[in-house]
Amino acid sequence: MSADVTLPAETARPARRQTATFGLSWRILGLVIVAVMTAEVAIFLPSIARFRLVYLEQLIESGTLAALALDATPDNMVTEQVKGSLLAHARVEAVVLLEPNKPKRALMNIEPRPEMQGFNLKDRGALGLILDALEAMARDGSHLIRVGGESVRLPGAMVWIVIDERPMRAAMYGYTSRIVILSIIIALFTASLLYLALRWLVVRPLQDLSAAMVAFRRAPEEGGPGRAPVRRNDEIGVVDHEFQILQRELRASLRQKSRLAEVGAATNKINHDLRNMLSTARLLSDRLARSDDERTRALAPTILNTIDRAARLASDAIEYVREKPSPRLAEVDLADLVDEVGVALQEQGEENDPNLLRSWVNEIGSRGIARCDRDLLYRVFINLGRNAFEAGATSVTIRARRSSGFLLVEVADNGPGIPASVTGQLFRPFTTGGRQGGTGLGLAIARDLVRLHGGDIALIASNEQGTLFGFTLPMA
């Protein structure tokens, strides 16, 4: 009998990394952008105040030059046309130059009025300049202000000008837009660099570590393929290294305790079976010792079989509890190994019943090369074959084929099949599959040995025509 199935190579894979919609990486990116923009805002406030101060100082200098043009006239007077031209080039509406020991010089298109808002740049501190700049940007339309300050060209002189804020406000908005664009570029560039650096150095290792933790939490007793050690000496590397050590120690402890618990739960059954077996052997031995009858002596094989069953039960229980060794992988010819197992099983059958014919068919051929531990795989075939023959099969056929990058090995027999009531728990310890005299540990041990190679074993089919098991191995 045959079935086209592909067994999973691993029973417990690490949990796939989940990328959250707004995970740690994006939160870091957002925080960096907010931090950079906050710093830019903190820098922008004194910058815009400084921009306004320089703008006004430049107007004071240009207004001073316009007022000094009056010195070139005999009576310090100019025509209206010349006055308008001088004020237009100075970009002011009025200018008054007050110089010690000299007459006042003034050019005015608009007379200064007391209701005009006035600013004396000599008396304004840093905070005052910032508030003045923000207030100016908040206004709309034309707004005439009086501004006073000292000229660089005339030390000691006081210059007052009247200007319309609208052109200055437009220049301040232009300056602000350039600062905002530059700030966004700096924030995105800085945030991107930090994002990539933090993701590479922190976030991705943490995601791998959290995925390993989730996988370990879901299946703490399953070995799985394991992870490569992290080659870094910082805090994350130390955490990853210590977690892998903790994982190995806990897994070994849990497997050992799980086996001990299973054996402890079945202790009563083992003791009961052993007492019955050994009691039978004791009674038959007494009869043999007291009688010379040839028929009685013929009971000797029964005694040996009973003792063998008791010894097998004890040895299988010990083997299941014992921690499984690490497989020593090498290229193994399965055809040769199956032949060797067949010889051993045929010899065991002849010892138990010389008249019983057992057929062990090797159909693997020359392509059955696997990378495995030969001794461990020998025990897998022995357990599967012995279970089949003890269940009533007279023929066992071994086949192998490639399937999804693995070598799928099939063990088919012509026995009576496995009852449907036990197929769901067939690989659990002390599940005998309905046959008499079995230990119930053969399949559990076989499953553990196959999983040590990174494969798995499963019951593919079972009915009254026979049973088919399959397990996977890595190909050489």
Side-chain angles (χ1 to χ4, degrees):
M1 58 189 301
S2 177
D4 188 12
V5 296
T6 302
L7 298 179
E10 299 161 3
T11 57
R13 297 181 182 270
R16 184 176 298 175
R17 182 186 299 133
Q18 299 179 353
T19 304
T21 308
F22 194 62
L24 181 60
S25 301
W26 295 105
R27 293 181 184 180
I28 292 174
L29 180 61
L31 288 175
V32 171
I33 291 177
V34 171
V36 173
M37 293 303 294
T38 302
E40 293 291 342
V41 169
I43 297 174
F44 168 76
L45 294 177
S47 298
I48 194 66
R50 177 65 181 173
F51 179 86
R52 177 178 176 273
L53 176 62
V54 172
Y55 188 94
L56 294 176
E57 288 176 344
Q58 290 176 349
L59 293 181
I60 289 175
E61 293 299 324
S62 62
T64 302
L65 289 176
L68 289 176
L70 295 174
D71 292 343
T73 62
D75 54 353
N76 290 339
M77 297 291 291
V78 294
T79 64
E80 290 295 325
Q81 183 179 2
V82 173
K83 180 184 68 172
S85 178
L86 289 173
L87 292 177
H89 282 86
R91 297 178 298 164
V92 299
E93 300 296 332
V95 56
V96 177
L97 175 59
L98 302 176
E99 193 174 5
N101 302 322
K102 287 187 178 182
K104 178 175 73 171
R105 284 157 283 186
L107 292 172
M108 298 182 188
N109 282 337
I110 298 175
E111 289 285 341
R113 296 186 298 271
E115 64 268 19
M116 288 182 181
Q117 189 177 9
F119 300 94
N120 189 344
L121 300 183
K122 293 174 58 177
D123 301 330
R124 305 299 286 176
L127 181 59
L129 290 172
I130 291 175
L131 294 177
D132 293 341
L134 296 178
E135 184 180 358
M137 295 183 69
R139 281 192 286 266
D140 192 19
S142 297
H143 183 73
L144 296 175
I145 60 174
R146 294 183 301 114
V147 181
E150 292 183 344
S151 172
V152 177
R153 291 178 174 82
L154 300 174
M158 186 67 184
V159 182
W160 285 92
I161 60 175
V162 176
I163 66 169
D164 187 353
E165 265 190 350
R166 179 184 291 179
M168 182 183 69
R169 191 184 307 122
M172 293 174 69
Y173 282 141
Y175 176 79
T176 301
S177 64
R178 295 192 296 272
I179 289 294
V180 169
I181 293 174
L182 182 61
S183 299
I184 293 175
I185 294 174
I186 294 175
L188 291 177
F189 180 76
T190 305
S192 298
L193 289 180
L194 286 176
Y195 170 82
L196 294 175
L198 289 174
R199 181 166 181 80
W200 180 260
L201 296 174
V202 178
V203 176
R204 290 189 63 182
L206 287 179
Q207 287 177 336
D208 293 337
L209 187 58
S210 63
M213 289 181 177
V214 171
F216 180 70
R217 177 181 60 82
R218 291 177 177 173
E221 296 185 30
E222 299 295 340
R227 293 187 305 121
V230 178
R231 297 181 178 179
R232 47 192 297 179
N233 299 322
D234 55 7
E235 291 79 2
I236 292 181
V238 172
V239 170
D240 189 275
H241 178 69
E242 293 299 326
F243 172 71
Q244 292 196 34
I245 294 176
L246 177 65
Q247 201 174 18
R248 288 194 298 268
E249 293 176 352
L250 283 178
R251 185 165 284 145
S253 178
L254 287 173
R255 284 199 300 262
Q256 186 72 10
K257 289 182 179 180
S258 177
R259 284 173 168 80
L260 291 175
E262 291 168 348
V263 172
T267 299
N268 290 334
K269 179 183 183 302
I270 295 175
N271 289 336
H272 180 266
D273 291 344
L274 283 175
R275 282 197 300 268
N276 290 338
M277 295 173 191
L278 295 178
S279 296
T280 302
R282 182 182 296 276
L283 291 174
L284 294 175
S285 297
D286 290 342
R287 291 185 60 184
L288 286 174
R290 293 194 302 267
S291 176
D292 294 330
D293 184 65
E294 183 177 353
R295 290 177 300 175
T296 304
R297 290 195 300 271
L299 296 175
T302 304
I303 297 176
L304 294 177
N305 289 338
T306 304
I307 296 174
D308 286 343
R309 287 166 51 199
R312 186 185 305 165
L313 177 61
S315 62
D316 284 352
I318 293 173
E319 181 179 354
Y320 181 74
V321 175
R322 184 184 300 120
E323 180 67 20
K324 296 299 182 291
S326 298
R328 294 173 294 181
L329 301 180
E331 292 188 6
V332 175
D333 185 353
L334 293 186
D336 180 67
L337 176 60
V338 169
D339 285 338
E340 183 179 341
V341 172
V343 172
L345 289 174
Q346 299 242 0
E347 290 178 352
Q348 293 178 9
E350 291 178 359
E351 292 178 359
N352 294 332
D353 188 354
N355 298 322
L356 181 61
L357 180 62
R358 292 181 173 182
S359 176
W360 180 264
V361 183
N362 184 354
E363 294 184 358
I364 291 182
S366 59
R367 299 181 63 187
I369 305 298
R371 184 168 179 79
C372 58
D373 188 311
R374 196 177 195 280
D375 294 336
L376 299 182
L377 197 59
Y378 178 90
R379 290 157 60 184
V380 173
F381 281 116
I382 281 288
N383 287 347
L384 292 174
R386 188 170 59 196
N387 282 357
F389 287 130
E390 289 182 353
T394 59
S395 176
V396 176
T397 303
I398 314 298
R399 294 184 290 267
R401 58 187 173 89
R402 299 175 185 269
S403 176
S404 302
F406 286 83
L407 191 66
L408 175 61
V409 181
E410 296 179 343
V411 180
D413 65 62
N414 63 348
I418 298 173
S421 59
V422 299
T423 55
Q425 53 184 358
L426 191 61
F427 293 95
R428 295 184 60 182
F430 308 107
T431 300
T432 61
R435 74 180 190 275
Q436 298 295 326
T439 65
L441 290 172
L443 289 178
I445 294 173
R447 179 193 61 180
D448 288 347
L449 297 180
V450 170
R451 286 183 174 178
L452 285 177
H453 291 82
D456 204 357
I457 186 170
L459 173 66
I460 298 175
S462 183
N463 51 44
E464 60 275 7
Q465 280 78 38
T467 300
L468 175 63
F469 285 94
F471 62 90
T472 54
L473 292 172
M475 290 188 298

